Amino acid sequence: MTLSTDTNLSKAVQVLKNAQRICILTGAGISAESGIPTFRDEQSGLWKSFRAEDLASIDAFNRDPKLVWSWYQWRRAEVKDKSPNPAHHALAKWQQHSVKADKPSQQLSLITQNVDDLHEQAGSSATHLHGELWKNHCSDCGMPYIAHIDTGSTELVECDACGGYVRPSIVWFGEMLPQRAWQVAQQSADNCDVFMSIGTSSIVYPAAGLAQVAKQNGATVIEINPHPTDSGLVDIQIPYPAGQALPALINQLGL
Ligand code: APR
């Protein structure tokens, strides 16, 4: 069976045609086809012997700020030239259509765990649960740092106000999610008819709990992932790469 004749894709299309409120949660897998490694892929190059989990924390930064800063500068350099893939473009087209359509209007909220800006580059508006790779703030006083930082440099940068070290505005392990973004995500999961989980391993909480909330409230859960997860929550699995599945899906939705 090919993707276009996959019965699960047709089931998803039927459910989505009748849905009024759709909550979409994306993870690293949606950017994989743009050439950005997923979180749980092995790291490459210089960083092969480190685990992302051991670098993405305030303890790691306090212990060795230069190491953690250099890692993020390396990640920025890796992401800098990447472009949205057909999955990002399909979601943007869908979102733009849902805003324009007069009747019946479909509400589509896009929540992402990704810190890249590929959804925005494709023309979507997304709520970032885990922060944004291109933003920085002071690790001491919290003041945003807005001056340009060259991705080629691994020198630590100091805050203009207090001299503390500047850090990426990313939610590290053990830190709270941005309050407003989390509120938006919860409300959208709470109230949706369909919850779509795209390209995420669904193991990092609290984001992974959004599908549970949606399911408890009666939503149908659709997953797009070439390696289906075993969360036990999914009603319709679409076991294909997002860059193939999403264009096919919106094509069948007639968009
Ligand atoms: N299309 C769809 N899914 C894909 C594709 C693809 N082309 N390629 C890989 N995947 C799936 C993998 O099968 C895997 O289930 O994407 C998922 C990526 O999982 P993770 O690397 O765990 O990424 P994510 O779920 O986004 O991680 C959550 O963990 O480390 C933290 O803060 C970090 O936001 C991240 C969070």
Side-chain angles (χ1 to χ4, degrees):
M1 191 179 320
T2 62
L3 173 58
S4 58
T5 56
D6 188 293
T7 45
N8 279 1
L9 185 73
S10 315
K11 273 192 214 160
V13 169
Q14 281 321 310
V15 169
L16 288 165
K17 273 189 174 157
N18 294 320
Q20 295 209 323
R21 289 175 304 270
I22 301 165
C23 176
I24 299 178
L25 175 69
T26 64
I30 197 167
S31 296
E33 288 158 89
S34 295
I36 303 177
T38 67
F39 250 87
R40 281 156 189 90
D41 277 337
E42 197 185 326
Q43 299 207 76
S44 59
L46 279 177
W47 300 97
K48 229 176 159 53
S49 55
F50 292 88
R51 285 182 347 134
E53 288 87 337
D54 297 334
L55 294 164
S57 77
I58 190 66
D59 287 347
F61 187 74
N62 287 339
R63 207 166 37 239
D64 192 344
K66 175 107 187 190
L67 175 81
V68 173
W69 180 252
S70 306
W71 181 58
Y72 277 102
Q73 288 293 84
W74 169 77
R75 288 188 61 199
R76 285 173 169 157
E78 291 259 290
V79 168
K80 187 163 60 113
D81 300 324
K82 302 296 188 281
S83 309
N85 67 55
H88 298 102
H89 287 301
L91 282 183
K93 188 170 176 189
W94 192 6
Q95 202 180 33
Q96 281 154 15
H97 181 270
S98 74
V99 176
K100 270 192 248 144
D102 10 296
K103 66 169 188 149
S105 78
Q106 202 170 54
Q107 234 181 58
L108 202 132
S109 334
L110 178 56
I111 318 288
T112 188
Q113 297 168 89
N114 296 346
V115 296
D116 65 49
D117 61 355
L118 296 188
H119 282 307
E120 286 81 2
Q121 280 190 44
S124 278
S125 132
T127 297
H128 285 264
L129 285 182
H130 293 169
E132 294 176 65
L133 188 59
W134 299 107
K135 293 190 176 166
N136 296 289
H137 65 271
C138 174
S139 59
D140 282 348
C141 72
M143 178 132 115
Y145 186 89
I146 48 176
H148 172 74
I149 298 176
D150 182 3
T151 52
S153 162
T154 55
E155 285 309 306
L156 284 167
V157 177
E158 289 177 5
C159 169
D160 298 328
C162 76
Y165 290 133
V166 167
R167 56 164 281 181
S169 299
I170 288 195
V171 179
W172 281 336
F173 286 101
E175 294 182 329
M176 303 280 286
L177 302 195
Q179 208 181 352
R180 178 75 194 124
W182 181 237
Q183 215 174 27
V184 169
Q186 272 185 312
Q187 274 169 6
S188 135
D190 249 347
N191 294 314
C192 68
D193 311 311
V194 179
F195 185 92
M196 292 186 73
S197 175
I198 305 175
T200 173
S201 53
S202 301
I203 55 172
V204 175
Y205 282 80
L210 292 170
Q212 282 163 2
V213 169
K215 180 92 176 180
Q216 273 159 15
N217 291 345
T220 303
V221 178
I222 299 174
E223 179 180 83
I224 297 180
N225 194 321
H227 307 289
T229 61
D230 54 8
S231 69
L233 297 169
V234 179
D235 299 296
I236 305 174
Q237 300 267 12
I238 304 180
Y240 290 88
Q244 293 173 30
L246 281 167
L249 188 76
I250 69 153
N251 182 34
Q252 293 199 14
L253 282 170
L255 303 179

